[in-house]
């Protein structure tokens, strides 16, 4: 094809014009003096140009003169003289009575073996709509961040209100037992708040248990341990990461078991320590709270089931975990174990959760 | 700790009441304001306020951070504690020698910040211990 085309210049030009005209991407074909040779139909329809009036028109006279952009002319002339190509040059097209368009231009001198008749091919990409969509997306993302902040603020304030009401009730009640219950309730609220902080700081609702339990124990210790030289609360947690739902249950279980140990394991100012452990392998995990206190009463059936125990049992069932209470010699270990085997056992109801504790 | 006068600026009445009780129970005198304008009026009228504890997000012309900045400029000797349920603000947003505590806070959080601010060697950081632990990535 090529030798034939070069021997018939008009055929070659017509072919080039036909190719340009049919391009779906807006294209202009220019001579070295920046008069138009042709334009694609897509260009004419996108920018409201009559195709019949394109040939031989200087670029500066195209349309109502909106293509007469001095900086563009300089660049196109430089391209025609072979000094540079235009790559990704951005202009705003101002048209009288119509909204501005943001364009990205690319231009290059065509190497067609005829240095006397310089030809430039200019492609015009209209990015106005893409830019608007991009801005809209940015605005939406910003709105979303603002909403999320607003929500975080509201959650924290609501928790603070609940905590305030509980503490003020605790100040007012006469009964020591009622006051203790209100303090426990306050601690439960603060445990949920502690998770809320973790979630706000984490990505995609995943919670790193070591960080969370460390903050949680710090919070429980600060409000419930009076003499830190006598009682210590520490953690032994692997690098497990869990979902928000699972961590809120695990956090509440830890809260109950630690409160329970603080209340019962160390009577008469007995010194000791409590350790919270969590280890997982695949989908199997074990959570434990161990103290070196006085141990459990021998006849467990005679002690009344407290709210704490009910909470732990309900959450353990929700997590498909089996509760075991063991002697830690001295002291007590309460552990919750979730394994594929225990899930099957619970499903078959062979080991009811309330028998295990 | 020696008894001092603390101004609490918090728009939510129940939180304000709870915070007043926390500080009164710890033996301090407490003055309260529901917004930044009221806080400034109080500060202009009385000279005994040593510490201002302010919520960050409040309705009105001044948010807590702006209020804290105004106080730092006009009454440089007053200690500042700012509180918010949001993640800790950037360190530069907290006035020099100020402290940040996160909501929901307990009496311990405020008392720790007070002990540090009024103690002989206030730490150079602006976050409470709890916040530092939870936001391990914050550079001090």
């Amino acid at each position: 094809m090529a030798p034939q085309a070069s021997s018939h210049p008009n055929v070659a030009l017509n072919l080039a014009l036909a190719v340009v005209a049919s391009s779906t991407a807006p294209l202009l074909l220019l001579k070295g003096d920046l008069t138009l040779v042709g334009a694609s139909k897509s260009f004419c329809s996108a920018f409201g140009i009559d195709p019949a009036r394109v040939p031989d028109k200087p670029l500066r006279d195209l349309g109502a003169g909106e293509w007469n952009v001095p900086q563009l002319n300089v660049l196109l002339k430089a391209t025609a003289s072979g000094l540079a190509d235009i790559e990704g040059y951005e202009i705003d097209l101002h048209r009288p009575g119509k909204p501005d368009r943001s364009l990205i231009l690319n231009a290059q001198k065509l190497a067609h073996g005829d240095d006397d008749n310089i030809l430039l091919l200019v492609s015009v990409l209209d990015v106005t709509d893409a830019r608007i969509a991009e801005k809209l997306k940015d605005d939406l993302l910003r709105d979303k961040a603002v909403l999320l902040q607003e929500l975080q603020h509201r959650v924290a304030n609501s928790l603070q209100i609940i905590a305030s009401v509980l503490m003020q009730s605790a100040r007012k009640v006469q009964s020591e037992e009622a006051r203790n219950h209100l303090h426990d309730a306050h601690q439960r609220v603060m445990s949920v708040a502690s998770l809320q902080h973790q979630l706000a700081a984490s990505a995609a609702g995943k919670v790193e248990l070591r960080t969370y339990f460390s903050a949680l124990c710090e919070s429980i210790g600060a409000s419930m341990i009076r003499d830190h030289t006598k009682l210590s609360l520490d953690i032994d947690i692997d690098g497990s990461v869990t979902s928000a739902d699972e961590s809120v249950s695990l956090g509440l279980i830890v809260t109950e078991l630690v409160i329970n140990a603080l209340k019962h394991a160390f009577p008469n100012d007995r010194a000791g320590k409590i350790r919270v452990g969590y280890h997982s392998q695949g989908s199997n995990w074990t959570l434990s709270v161990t103290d070196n206190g006085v141990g459990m009463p021998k006849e467990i059936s005679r002690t009344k089931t407290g709210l704490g125990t009910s909470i732990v049992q309900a959450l353990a069932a929700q997590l498909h975990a089996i509760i075991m209470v063991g002697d830690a010699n001295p002291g007590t270990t309460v552990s919750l174990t979730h394994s594929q085997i225990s899930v099957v056992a619970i499903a078959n109801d062979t080991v009811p959760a309330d028998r295990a504790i | 700790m020696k008894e001092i006068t603390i101004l609490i600026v918090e728009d939510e009445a129940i939180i304000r009441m709870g915070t007043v009780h926390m500080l009164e129970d710890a033996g301090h005198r407490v003055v309260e304001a529901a917004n930044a304008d009221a806080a400034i009026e109080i500060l202009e009228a009385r000279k005994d306020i040593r510490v201002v504890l302010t919520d960050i997000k409040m309705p009105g012309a001044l948010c807590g951070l702006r209020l804290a900045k105004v106080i730092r400029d006009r009454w440089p000797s007053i200690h500042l504690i700012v509180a918010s349920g949001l993640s800790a603000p950037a360190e530069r947003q907290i006035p020099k020698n100020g402290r940040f505590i996160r909501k929901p806070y307990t009496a311990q959080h405020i008392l720790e910040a007070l002990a540090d601010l009024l103690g002989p060697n206030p730490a150079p950081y602006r976050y409470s211990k709890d916040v530092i632990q939870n936001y391990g990535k914050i550079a001090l």
Side-chain angles (χ1 to χ4, degrees):
Chain A
M1 285 294 285
Q4 252 186 345
S6 60
S7 59
H8 297 93
N10 282 337
V11 174
L13 189 60
N14 286 341
L15 175 63
L17 281 171
V19 169
V20 167
S22 67
S23 163
T24 51
L27 288 181
L28 291 174
L29 192 60
L30 299 170
K31 286 185 196 157
D33 63 358
L34 309 190
T35 55
L36 286 147
V37 182
S40 67
K41 284 180 196 133
S42 52
F43 177 90
C44 294
S45 76
F47 299 104
I49 305 288
D50 178 1
R53 300 179 62 182
V54 166
D56 298 327
K57 198 183 249 304
L59 179 64
R60 64 175 181 275
D61 294 339
L62 192 62
E66 63 267 21
W67 294 92
N68 186 17
V69 180
Q71 184 68 20
L72 177 63
N73 288 339
V74 171
L75 283 168
L76 286 171
K77 280 182 182 153
T79 306
S81 61
L83 292 172
D85 284 344
I86 298 179
E87 276 178 38
Y89 179 63
E90 293 198 35
I91 64 164
D92 284 329
L93 187 70
H94 306 292
R95 291 175 300 176
K98 287 182 185 167
D100 286 359
R101 306 298 291 181
S102 302
L103 307 180
I104 293 182
L105 303 187
N106 286 285
Q108 54 184 322
K109 185 178 171 184
L110 294 182
H112 61 116
D114 182 357
D115 288 344
D116 296 333
N117 293 302
I118 292 167
L119 286 176
L120 298 178
L121 186 66
V122 182
S123 71
V124 182
L125 185 61
D126 187 340
V127 292
T128 315
D129 295 340
R131 290 277 156 83
I132 291 170
E134 220 167 87
K135 189 180 172 302
L136 186 68
K137 196 188 82 191
D138 288 350
D139 289 351
L140 283 174
L141 281 176
R142 202 170 310 116
D143 286 355
K144 188 182 148 213
V146 169
L147 275 177
L148 190 64
Q149 283 226 328
E150 180 66 26
L151 186 69
Q152 256 186 55
H153 164 77
R154 298 224 163 270
V155 169
N157 248 25
S158 302
L159 288 169
Q160 182 85 69
I161 289 171
I162 298 166
S164 276
V165 168
L166 290 171
M167 284 311 273
Q168 285 168 80
S169 308
R171 277 174 112 237
K172 289 278 191 304
V173 294
Q174 300 296 318
S175 138
E176 179 76 24
E177 192 192 355
R179 186 161 38 253
N180 285 339
H181 282 311
L182 287 164
H183 277 147
D184 290 355
H186 178 259
Q187 186 53 55
R188 289 174 187 127
V189 171
M190 295 307 289
S191 295
V192 175
S194 184
L195 177 74
Q196 205 57 41
H197 296 156
Q198 298 299 317
L199 282 176
S202 80
K206 288 286 175 191
V207 177
E208 204 182 291
L209 285 181
R210 193 188 293 131
T211 321
Y212 171 40
F213 283 173
S214 155
L216 183 61
C217 288
E218 177 91 11
S219 153
I220 300 173
S223 68
M224 303 205 60
I225 297 178
R226 249 175 275 149
D227 187 348
H228 291 268
T229 58
K230 280 196 170 152
L231 281 182
S232 70
L233 175 56
D234 64 10
I235 59 168
D236 171 22
I237 315 279
D238 63 17
S240 297
V241 171
T242 63
S243 71
D245 283 349
E246 225 173 87
S247 4
V248 75
S249 300
L250 291 170
L252 283 170
I253 291 170
V254 167
T255 306
E256 297 309 328
L257 294 177
V258 171
I259 287 178
N260 196 53
L262 284 170
K263 276 187 188 161
H264 303 296
F266 309 102
N268 308 318
D269 280 339
R270 186 187 161 107
K273 61 181 178 186
I274 300 169
R275 169 162 290 186
V276 176
Y278 184 95
H279 296 276
S280 70
Q281 198 161 34
S283 60
N284 299 341
W285 53 260
T286 299
L287 169 72
S288 64
V289 173
T290 305
D291 66 68
N292 61 354
V294 295
M296 296 279 282
K298 292 289 172 247
E299 290 174 64
I300 194 163
S301 58
R302 275 214 248 144
T303 57
K304 203 172 78 188
T305 305
L307 174 61
T309 308
S310 309
I311 291 177
V312 173
Q313 284 174 345
L315 293 172
Q318 186 174 300
L319 292 168
H320 301 298
I322 290 176
I323 309 169
M324 306 284 268
V325 182
D327 201 329
N329 286 319
T332 308
T333 293
V334 180
S335 60
L336 276 80
T337 306
H338 168 96
S339 62
Q340 291 309 321
I341 294 165
S342 70
V343 171
V344 172
I346 289 168
N348 295 338
D349 214 16
T350 50
V351 185
D354 59 349
R355 275 266 305 281
I357 195 165
Chain B
M1 197 186 301
K2 210 170 133 253
E3 179 184 333
I4 55 163
T5 306
I6 299 165
L7 171 61
I8 293 169
V9 194
E10 162 67 60
D11 59 307
E12 184 60 58
I14 295 177
I15 299 177
R16 194 167 67 242
M17 185 168 38
T19 311
V20 168
H21 288 155
M22 287 177 194
L23 289 166
E24 281 179 352
D25 288 352
H28 297 296
R29 281 182 304 269
V30 187
V31 188
E32 42 184 310
N35 56 55
D37 290 342
I40 287 175
E41 268 177 43
I42 291 169
L43 289 168
E44 281 169 344
R46 45 195 296 174
K47 300 284 159 240
D48 60 333
I49 289 164
R50 289 280 313 278
V51 178
V52 174
L53 163 60
T54 179
D55 187 22
I56 288 181
K57 200 172 160 76
M58 286 186 297
L62 286 185
C63 78
L65 286 173
R66 295 279 306 153
L67 172 68
K69 194 178 175 316
V70 169
I71 295 172
R72 175 58 75 244
D73 291 344
R74 287 185 64 183
W75 296 280
S77 66
I78 292 180
H79 292 291
L80 292 164
I81 304 175
V82 293
S84 170
L86 295 175
S87 315
E91 171 127 4
R92 64 184 157 73
Q93 291 181 282
I94 302 174
K96 208 169 168 229
N97 303 323
R99 288 289 180 276
F100 171 80
I101 57 172
R102 196 169 31 211
K103 281 180 159 182
Y105 48 72
T106 62
Q108 282 86 2
H109 292 121
I110 304 180
L111 296 177
E112 260 177 38
L114 281 179
D116 183 33
L117 285 170
L118 302 170
N121 293 307
Y125 56 76
R126 300 175 191 185
Y127 301 101
S128 70
K129 197 172 146 204
D130 173 48
V131 176
I132 291 167
Q133 189 179 36
N134 289 332
Y135 286 78
K137 285 172 202 150
I138 289 174
L140 295 182

